[in-house]
Structures are given as C-alpha cells and as structure tokens.
Amino acid sequence: MRILHTSDWHLGRTFHGRVLDDAHAAFADHLVELVTTESVDAVLVAGDVYDRAIPPNDAVALLDETLRRLTERTRVVLTPGNHDSARRLGFAADLMREGLIIRARTAGLDRGIILPDADGNEAAIVHALPYLDPDAAREILPPLLTERLGEETPTKHTAGEDQTESGDTASQPGPPERPRLPRSHEAVVSAALRLVAADLDRLRAGRSRRLPSLLMAHAFVVGGEACESERDIRVGGVDSVPSGVFTTLGGSPLAERSGGLDYVALGHLHRPQELTRPAGPRLVYSGSPLPFSFDEAEGARNSATKSSVLLDLSADGVTGLERIPTPVLHQVRTLTGTMPELLSPAFDDATGAWVRVILQGERPPGALATLKERFPSLLAF
C-alpha cells in the first residue's frame, strides 16, 4: 500500500506581506499529479491546514477545490492542527463521502480507519489524532478513559471556594470536583494513545494477516528541530511529548499485544525530519510544503528541502520511504555584504527574488531606497 504524508499547509499565510496563494495553488497541483503518477492509495494531512482559525475566503476555496480533486483520485484523511479551528474544519465531517475523512473531535480519536488498497482489500489502520490542546483535552479525555478502559483519573477542583463580601471563606461547599489529567501535552497525548492501543488491539484481533498501523499526530516531539515560523504551542512550558510514548502507546498494558504502531505521521514542525529511535515506530515530520521565513527558505535550499513523504507499507510495516520535493515558485534569498558588494554584478541573479538584506559596513544615506531599486522585492532589511 502507498501513502502520501503531508502537513502544515497553512493556507492563507503570507510571507513578509506577500500573498502565497499562487505557491499554495502550485503545491495543490503538484499533490494531485503525485497522487496520480505514484498510484497513492491515501493522503494523510496531519494538521495546520489553514494558517488561522478564521481563514480568508480564497484559502477556503483553494482547500475545497484541492480536496475535490484529490478525492476524485484517492482517499484523504485530514486532522486539524493548533492553527486550525477544529469545529470549523470538522463541520459536517460525519456527512462526508467515503473519500474524505476529517477527524476533528477528541471523542472520536480512537475510532481506527481501515484503508483499502487499490484492489479493495483491507491494507492499513490509521488512527488520526486532532491537535490536543492540554487545557481542553485534560477534561474531555478522562470520561473516555473511564468508559472505554476503566481508568479512573484523579479529580481536581474546578475553582476556589466561594468568598463572602468581607473576604472570608464561605461555609457553603465549592463547585463539585471533576477528573482532570495533568496540564501537559505529554499527559493528554499519552491518554489518547492508551485509547488507541485498545482499539488497535481490537482491530487486529483474529486476523490471519497483520495490518500495518499508522498514527497521525500534531505535536512537538522531543528531539525535533523547530523553525522560527512555527507558532508556539507551549502551555506553561509543558508543550513537548517524549518520543517514547509512541512506542509504549502512552504506557498502555495493551501496547505489546496490540502489535504497536509502524509509522507516526507528525505535523507541527516545519522542517522535514525523522526522529531517530532504537526501537518503535518511525517518527516522521513531513514538514511544511512551503518556507514561511527567510531562515526556513535558506534551510530548504541547503539540507532540508521542502517535501512530502511517500510511504510504502506491507504486513511487516514500512517497506519504503521517499521524500518528494515540492515545487519552488518563488526564489527566496538572504544577501549579506557591503553596499558596493550588493550593488555589484555578483548579486545580479537575485534581482527577481524575494530578498532579505544584511548590510555590512557603512550605511550610506538613502541606502534602503537604493537597495529597493536594485532588488524590487526587498522584503526585509
């Protein structure tokens, strides 16, 4: 079976004031062509589809058109990230046709999706986690843990005791206590993984052939390398998730019996990378398809080329992994030098690029105007 893993499209985003709609449209064309030429059985989009909770109309129209084109050719599984509004992105998700599955609700995160191959045979299991905000998920997950796993979560006060007008503590009892997980991304992701473990064990039980298992998650996993263009998801310094939780499935007693995960399709970090671990599933960030900062563009031109991940699976797990570079519509350059150097023919190849200039040495009067004439798309100075 062949899977295409992508994330962090950030539709509606700008680059230092320049609209990226044309670059996003070129990426959408690239995805559609890739799905066709590589016979992709499913596309996984691991969060941050939009750049903000209320996206511009053009971004909504582009997503609508892209999903229409993709679902005419393959299946798409999509989850919201920390930039998206899960409620808006997941509107009418239960009414979607078979080719498009949007998992935006925390309560449905342990409903595994069984994907068929090109011949219609059951070929892979996908559990799609939406972005789990610690403040919300720590209250939503405990009832699910109790109902489905019999886990009891310690209770926490919902507020302090009532105060009288004089400031003394009132005699009446405060609000009732309710179960809450610790306020961290590690705690809520681990809880979600324990729910996944139980469902994975159920889905694999009694089968004559092992189905490979994929998990989609939008998180900052320890060991990942960040970029300056990512929005901070820290909540009181408790943003990160240890990579080991994906091996132990959040400490689930069913982790070994369930057969474990084979691949974790990660979103949030914009730099394409794979986290190295001695054992357990492959932990892979597809990265964003476009650079959203000058530093990110420099990295993409050097060692971290923007890409999507083309994944081959069998009953044994991952049998092949290839990064497919995404198209570069706009040249982005950081130019460093003295004023005479920047005006010399050495930088003639950057006149049509989106440019950041780091000026060294003396700054003569009118330097900015001169550089703008030299580089019409000077965006940072």
Side-chain angles (χ1 to χ4, degrees), residues 233-254:
I233 60 172
R234 286 177 293 184
V235 181
V238 289
D239 63 316
S240 61
V241 178
S243 59
V245 302
F246 297 101
T247 301
T248 66
L249 289 173
S252 171
L254 297 173

Side-chain angles (χ1 to χ4, degrees), residues 90-177:
F91 172 74
D94 293 340
L95 304 178
M96 299 292 180
R97 55 183 173 173
E98 184 183 2
L100 176 60
I101 302 170
I102 299 177
R103 286 292 167 84
R105 298 178 182 175
T106 302
L109 58 79
D110 61 342
R111 290 186 292 134
I113 304 159
I114 298 183
L115 296 176
D117 60 19
D119 298 322
N121 301 313
E122 295 182 341
I125 302 169
V126 175
H127 285 92
L129 307 187
Y131 171 66
L132 298 172
D133 176 71
D135 283 323
R138 65 192 294 236
E139 297 188 5
I140 296 172
L141 287 169
L144 301 179
L145 293 170
T146 300
E147 175 189 343
R148 299 173 190 178
L149 304 181
E151 284 190 24
E152 294 296 335
T153 306
T155 57
K156 303 289 184 182
H157 284 289
T158 59
E161 294 180 307
D162 294 337
Q163 301 290 315
T164 63
E165 291 183 2
S166 63
D168 295 330
T169 302
S171 58
Q172 61 267 32
E177 295 181 341

Side-chain angles (χ1 to χ4, degrees), residues 44-64:
L44 309 184
V45 188
D48 281 355
V49 181
Y50 292 127
D51 189 57
R52 51 186 183 270
I54 304 179
N57 290 336
D58 288 345
V60 176
L62 179 57
L63 179 63
D64 180 68

Side-chain angles (χ1 to χ4, degrees), residues 65-374:
E65 175 67 9
T66 302
L67 292 178
R68 182 192 63 77
R69 295 169 68 194
L70 287 173
T71 53
E72 287 174 350
R73 295 162 173 82
T74 189
R75 285 174 170 77
V76 177
V77 183
L78 183 150
T79 59
N82 56 295
H83 279 247
D84 301 304
S85 164
R87 184 175 294 276
R88 291 186 178 91
L89 193 63
F91 172 74
D94 293 340
L95 304 178
M96 299 292 180
R97 55 183 173 173
E98 184 183 2
L100 176 60
I101 302 170
I102 299 177
R103 286 292 167 84
R105 298 178 182 175
T106 302
L109 58 79
D110 61 342
R111 290 186 292 134
I113 304 159
I114 298 183
L115 296 176
D117 60 19
D119 298 322
N121 301 313
E122 295 182 341
I125 302 169
V126 175
H127 285 92
L129 307 187
Y131 171 66
L132 298 172
D133 176 71
D135 283 323
R138 65 192 294 236
E139 297 188 5
I140 296 172
L141 287 169
L144 301 179
L145 293 170
T146 300
E147 175 189 343
R148 299 173 190 178
L149 304 181
E151 284 190 24
E152 294 296 335
T153 306
T155 57
K156 303 289 184 182
H157 284 289
T158 59
E161 294 180 307
D162 294 337
Q163 301 290 315
T164 63
E165 291 183 2
S166 63
D168 295 330
T169 302
S171 58
Q172 61 267 32
E177 295 181 341
R178 55 184 170 183
R180 286 183 179 178
L181 293 165
R183 188 172 177 263
S184 74
H185 210 188
E186 177 183 357
V188 296
V189 170
S190 293
L193 289 171
R194 293 196 296 277
L195 291 165
V196 166
D199 190 60
L200 185 58
D201 182 54
R202 177 185 65 83
L203 291 174
R204 278 180 168 157
R207 291 182 180 272
S208 58
R209 184 175 65 90
R210 179 183 186 273
L211 295 184
S213 169
L214 301 96
L215 180 91
M216 299 169 64
H218 197 85
F220 180 15
V221 180
V222 174
E225 188 175 353
C227 295
E228 66 177 22
S229 65
E230 296 144 8
R231 180 174 296 167
D232 195 348
I233 60 172
R234 286 177 293 184
V235 181
V238 289
D239 63 316
S240 61
V241 178
S243 59
V245 302
F246 297 101
T247 301
T248 66
L249 289 173
S252 171
L254 297 173
E256 184 174 353
R257 194 178 80 179
S258 72
L261 304 171
D262 294 293
Y263 182 88
V264 180
L266 291 166
H268 177 60
L269 297 185
H270 292 176
R271 187 184 301 276
Q273 56 196 292
E274 180 172 356
L275 278 61
T276 303
R277 281 189 53 77
R282 297 185 72 165
L283 307 177
V284 178
Y285 283 99
S286 66
S288 61
L290 308 178
F292 299 121
S293 69
F294 279 100
D295 288 342
E296 199 175 329
E298 291 296 308
R301 193 166 65 248
N302 297 326
S303 60
T305 302
K306 294 299 184 179
S307 59
S308 301
V309 179
L310 192 61
L311 187 70
D312 287 308
L313 298 165
S314 73
D316 297 324
V318 178
T319 58
L321 190 154
E322 179 184 4
R323 287 197 177 271
I324 308 296
T326 57
V328 178
L329 203 63
H330 300 289
Q331 186 185 17
V332 178
R333 296 281 302 276
T334 296
L335 311 179
T336 303
T338 64
M339 200 68 179
E341 290 171 340
L342 293 167
L343 298 177
S344 74
F347 290 99
D348 283 351
D349 63 341
T351 55
W354 291 356
V355 168
R356 173 178 65 176
V357 167
I358 300 175
L359 181 62
Q360 296 178 328
E362 182 182 357
R363 178 174 178 171
L368 179 57
T370 301
L371 289 170
K372 281 187 174 180
E373 183 177 355
R374 165 70 161 147

